[in-house]
Structures are given as structure tokens and as C-alpha cells.
Amino acid sequence: MAASIGIVGCGAIGQAILREADAGKLNVPVSGVTSRTESTALEFLSTLSDPPPYLGPAELIKRSTLIVETAGGHVVPQLAKDVFAAGKDLMVISIGALLEHPEIIEESRSKGCRLLAPSGAIAGLDGIKSACAGRVDRITMTSRKPPRALEGAPHLVENEIILEGLEEELEVFSGTAREACKGFPANLNVSAAVSLAGLGPDKTQVKIVAVPGLERNCHDIEVEGEFGLLTIHIENVPSENPKTGKLTALSIIRSIRDAVDTVSIGT
């Protein structure tokens, strides 16, 4: 079967992938799209010059060699079961779901199906992976975001943290990457990616700071070990969805290209 991708979800990231494919820049055909809201997806597909078909999940998996999830962590467990049962590969954008459901990783290995987790809004995972081949003493990450990007996060709701009208920066969370992903599921896929590339979700320390007036989603990572010290600083311009940086969609697009390329650059 020739390589082809099926896209699950038609939000900001899904649409960015589809635009790239419509412009002939993806290097792999899109076999179809499925979404929670069919009408919205069909409306967007109608704006493309050569839209792929809208399909049900089962047909989408059947027609694709690689399924790309852009719909949110709630769909990942069942989607992974269905994709791996069909012997197909899966790219997961909502990486935080892998911390809540580690059985997905084991199922990928046992079935011999690829599970791809792109860098998304973060950078430097190659260096973190390389460093962790040796002794690493600590990995810390601090995310600074505008209050609107954190609105509605379970951690804020449960702890009655109000960000509306905030005038000074406020640390709203400090804990492990696993706790961060539970408390901020729409924001902290980056911490999940860092933890899976490095020391794991319980040994990666995360801080989240709300910063009034900040226009970008900023992340600072420090890794220290026998290799020396690695520092990473990222400032992401938000996409149409303030919770998601533009770098995320670009990372997914490049990851799709790399998934079907015979040449691989970087760790």
C-alpha cells in the first residue's frame, strides 16, 4: 500500500496540514479527514482546490498508512487501539495522553506499529534524548504564557485561581510533568514531550507562570548532567487558537514529511 495519511480533527492544526497538502508541499497524499464536527470540517474542505474526502473513522484507517491525530487527548486511547488493530501507524499530537495511557506505547511496540510523537511547540528534544543516553541529574522547564492561553485549565478551576484582571505575573503551578499535563491538558503537551524524551514524567519539574501582556508562549528548559549544561529558550507566536503556538503546526507538517522520507537528520 502506497504511503498516505488520514487526519483526525479539523481544527487549527488539521487545517494547516490540509492547506499544506492542497499547495502540493506535503510530499504524501491525504486519504481523508474525519472530525467530531462534520459540518465544520466540510465547510473548511470546501475552501480547498482539491479537498480529500470526509470519511468515517474506520474507513479513514482502512485507506491510510499513517493516521495523524489533531483532535485532542480524549480521542487518543480508542484511536490508538483501532489504528494498531489495523496494523497502521499513528502520529499523536496530544502527547499528554501518552502519560495518562502508557499502555498505548506498549501496544505500539507489541504490535510493531510506529507511534510518532512530534516535538510540537518545543525544541531541543534531540539534545535531551542524547544527554539521557548518559547520566542526567535534572531537567526543569518553565512555561510563561498570557493569561488567556491558560483560561479554563482544570488546575486553575480546582484551585480557584482567577487570572482575569491579573496585573502582575503569577506562578500558577509548580510540580512534575505528569501533574502539569493533568492540570493543563490543553497547554502542556510540551512538558509531556520533554519528559518522554528525557527522565520521564515524574522526574521532570515544571513551572507555569501567567504573564499579563505577554504576546508569545515562552518555554525555558534546562538539562544538566555528565555531558554539561543544555539550555533551551523558545518564544512561540500563538496560532488562531491561543493555547497552541504556530510552531506546533509547522512541527507536525515537517514530521509528516520525515515519516515518509528515507533520509533522517538529527537524533
Side-chain angles (χ1 to χ4, degrees):
M1 184 178 183
S4 62
I5 66 166
I7 301 173
V8 177
C10 200
I13 296 175
Q15 290 179 15
I17 297 169
L18 288 163
R19 288 192 196 97
E20 195 79 358
D22 201 47
K25 298 178 181 178
L26 203 59
N27 301 338
V28 61
V30 178
S31 55
V33 179
T34 195
S35 175
R36 179 177 56 182
T37 310
E38 182 177 352
S39 59
T40 303
L42 289 173
E43 182 180 353
F44 173 76
L45 290 171
S46 71
T47 67
L48 303 177
S49 59
D50 186 21
Y54 185 91
L55 303 171
E59 185 64 19
L60 185 72
I61 293 170
K62 181 180 177 181
R63 294 193 191 186
S64 310
T65 57
L66 172 66
I67 296 296
V68 181
E69 172 273 314
T70 73
H74 62 286
V75 309
V76 173
Q78 187 60 52
L79 180 63
K81 280 186 180 181
D82 296 340
V83 170
F84 296 154
K88 305 297 181 69
D89 298 332
L90 175 64
M91 182 177 289
V92 172
I93 311 310
S94 308
I95 302 176
L98 302 182
L99 301 192
E100 287 192 56
H101 300 276
E103 69 275 7
I104 295 172
I105 296 173
E106 295 309 313
E107 189 170 4
S108 164
R109 288 172 172 151
S110 67
K111 293 287 181 64
C113 300
R114 289 190 302 166
L115 174 62
L116 308 176
S119 300
I122 208 67
L125 295 190
D126 55 345
I128 295 172
K129 287 163 65 178
S130 298
C132 287
R135 190 195 80 249
V136 165
D137 301 315
R138 67 178 180 92
I139 298 180
T140 61
M141 175 176 174
T142 300
S143 291
R144 302 172 78 246
K145 294 196 170 193
R148 68 180 182 279
L150 299 170
E151 287 177 356
H155 177 82
L156 301 184
V157 175
E158 291 166 10
N159 291 279
E160 299 182 347
I161 299 173
I162 307 299
L163 298 183
E164 186 177 354
L166 191 67
E167 296 182 355
E168 297 181 351
E169 67 175 60
L170 175 68
E171 182 180 302
V172 296
F173 175 84
S174 179
T176 67
R178 187 184 302 279
E179 294 165 339
C181 288
K182 285 183 179 179
F184 298 84
N187 297 97
L188 267 297
N189 280 313
V190 286
S191 65
V194 169
S195 71
L196 289 172
L199 295 177
D202 300 311
K203 293 183 179 179
T204 303
Q205 296 299 310
V206 175
K207 289 185 179 180
I208 303 172
V209 183
V211 183
L214 189 66
E215 297 297 328
R216 299 181 177 183
N217 299 325
C218 302
H219 308 288
D220 289 280
I221 303 162
E222 283 197 359
V223 183
E224 191 167 16
E226 63 177 299
F227 73 95
L229 175 67
L230 171 65
T231 60
I232 303 161
H233 176 73
I234 306 106
E235 297 185 11
N236 284 327
V237 175
S239 65
E240 296 85 350
N241 178 352
K243 294 179 172 63
T244 303
K246 288 188 177 181
L247 184 61
T248 302
L250 296 172
S251 168
I252 308 317
I253 289 166
R254 179 56 190 255
S255 295
I256 291 170
R257 291 175 184 165
D258 286 351
V260 297
D261 197 342
T262 55
V263 178
S264 178
I265 307 298
T267 302

